[in-house]
Amino acid sequence: MIPTVVGLDHLVVAVRDLDAAADAWRALGFTLSPRGLHSAHVGSANHTMMFGQDYLELLAVLVPQPHNQALRDFLAKREGLERAAFTTTDAAAGADALRARGVDSVGPLHFGRPVPMPDGSEAEARFSVFRFPSSLYPAGLGIFACQHHTREAVWVPSLQTHQNGATRILRALATTEDPAGAAATLAGAIDSTVRQDGDFCLVATGPGRADIGFAPRAVIARLAHCAEDALPAEGGAGMVLATPTPRPPGLANGVAVIFQTA
């Protein structure tokens, strides 16, 4: 793996209406963090759904900024799973490692957001990120790495219990007619390996962290019990989450949410 990169950190679901999206995900049984407002130069707001080591993020644009141009371009076409973030222990070192390989990395970018804490106080969550170039996006799924400087302000214990029982991300899913090619692109970008699991080509992101799987749209639609045209022809399309008991799949903001007992 790339030095300092640990594994999948979180999945970003891009939405146009953050309040409506929050209602839709709560209806699937998730506990959402209070709305977070990112630094002014980032121009976005979010809600998170926290697990033990990873999480989901609903992300919307508030004010157009150069930093959120890619997010705005994505939302002009559709909502849904826009990118996957990897945990990095040092964003600056990770960006330098990519540039040393001749890869046009962007970053590190530093930003934060205030966080209301359960005791009524307010903390600041601070992050540093670096991005991979779009030429390395597998099946159009964006990839970047995130360094958490204040994990205690993000992994708040009271936010980690969900009515639906979800405890972690097992797999991120992307649709493509060339699963092997997309998996090879991602594996090359993060120095990982590809393995076949039925109709899926899977890329490991790190020990104990979620895989990223690629398959044709029909395969993911079948798992999610949804119509094929509810998912993109190519791009981030779904996620598999661990739960202690069986639960039917759901669909929100163009994302298939599949629960698997683990």
Side-chain angles (χ1 to χ4, degrees):
M1 305 294 288
I2 294 174
T4 81
V5 170
V6 176
L8 187 77
D9 187 83
H10 66 279
L11 299 177
V12 177
V13 178
V15 300
R16 294 169 179 147
D17 184 330
L18 188 57
D19 291 337
D23 288 341
W25 288 79
R26 285 192 190 99
L28 290 177
F30 291 100
T31 299
L32 273 65
S33 68
R35 174 188 278 241
L37 182 64
H38 291 127
S39 302
H41 65 284
V42 176
S44 57
N46 75 349
H47 288 284
T48 62
M49 291 159 271
M50 305 303 303
F51 306 124
Q53 296 187 95
D54 49 30
Y55 63 99
L56 310 177
E57 178 182 17
L58 303 180
L59 185 65
V61 174
L62 291 186
V63 179
Q65 296 285 8
H67 174 73
N68 61 41
Q69 183 65 57
L71 180 63
R72 285 182 282 134
D73 291 345
F74 181 92
L75 286 170
K77 300 173 184 176
R78 68 178 181 96
E79 295 183 294
L81 178 53
E82 187 248 349
R83 53 195 135 133
F86 307 109
T87 304
T88 179
T89 57
D90 188 329
D96 287 344
L98 286 182
R99 284 190 281 266
R101 302 179 186 186
V103 176
D104 187 21
S105 175
V106 177
L109 173 75
H110 310 288
F111 62 99
R113 59 177 169 86
V115 178
M117 301 301 285
D119 63 2
S121 64
E122 184 175 271
E124 182 187 22
R126 292 183 289 106
F127 314 90
S128 298
V129 302
F130 71 88
R131 296 177 181 171
F132 293 75
S134 59
S135 60
L136 295 181
Y137 288 1
L141 178 67
I143 51 174
F144 72 108
C146 179
Q147 180 180 2
H148 292 271
H149 299 290
T150 52
R151 291 182 66 86
E152 70 283 354
V154 178
W155 273 269
V156 178
S158 61
L159 299 177
Q160 295 181 49
T161 301
H162 305 274
Q163 186 180 30
N164 58 31
T167 58
R168 59 168 293 207
I169 304 169
L170 293 175
R171 187 173 295 175
L173 305 176
T175 55
T176 176
E177 290 306 308
D178 181 16
T185 296
L186 177 59
I190 64 173
D191 291 345
S192 187
T193 58
V194 180
R195 74 181 190 278
Q196 193 75 32
D197 183 5
D199 294 318
F200 283 90
C201 288
L202 303 179
V203 178
T205 68
R209 299 296 181 99
D211 296 329
I212 298 180
F214 301 91
R217 177 165 64 171
V219 173
I220 298 175
R222 189 163 59 246
L223 284 176
H225 301 169
C226 70
E228 285 189 40
D229 61 8
L231 304 176
E234 180 168 281
M239 59 192 69
V240 180
L241 306 178
T243 56
T245 57
R247 182 177 174 86
L251 187 69
N253 300 99
V255 179
V257 183
I258 299 159
F259 298 95
Q260 179 177 311
T261 54

